[in-house]
Amino acid sequence: MAGDVKISLAEVELLTIRIRLIVCSIDKAQEIGLDWWKYDAHLAPNRNRLSAENDELRRQVRLLERKVASLTSRKGGNTRRDGGRDANRQGD
């Protein structure tokens, strides 16, 4: 179904809204990519909480990556007295 809503004042058209209505199941809507309700803040209130949690987790991952990179570069720059062999490592 399709329809037009027109708002006019004194024979001057102010706004025209074209409305298209699709009636289908939620499964079919998701299948064709019409799942906007998942991302609408008013319809999906947990989205903001999940987004904040996602941002915090990304921040923590970046921090850990920097720490690993720092440890790796420090470990590579040290010279070892035992000829480079790990003291805990068994003979090959």
Side-chain angles (χ1 to χ4, degrees):
M1 280 193 259
D4 293 340
V5 175
K6 293 183 181 185
I7 300 173
S8 59
L9 179 64
E11 300 299 322
V12 176
E13 189 174 316
L14 299 175
L15 178 67
T16 300
I17 301 173
R18 188 161 298 249
I19 298 173
R20 298 196 184 272
L21 178 62
I22 298 176
V23 179
C24 62
S25 69
I26 291 176
D27 293 335
K28 182 64 175 178
Q30 289 176 333
E31 188 179 306
I32 61 176
L34 296 175
D35 53 357
W36 51 265
W37 62 87
K38 289 182 178 179
Y39 309 105
D40 188 312
H42 298 291
L43 298 174
N46 289 335
R47 178 167 164 71
N48 292 336
R49 182 183 60 80
L50 292 175
S51 179
E53 183 178 348
N54 192 16
D55 291 343
E56 174 61 19
L57 290 171
R58 287 177 189 273
R59 187 189 65 75
Q60 289 178 8
V61 166
R62 283 192 301 271
L63 178 65
L64 290 171
E65 286 173 340
R66 282 194 297 267
K67 285 183 179 181
V68 167
S70 170
L71 290 171
T72 303
S73 65
R74 235 188 298 161
K75 187 176 182 181
N78 291 342
T79 56
R80 297 173 72 165
R81 291 184 207 170
D82 61 358
R85 292 188 64 156
D86 191 348
N88 294 329
R89 211 167 144 192
Q90 299 290 328
D92 291 87

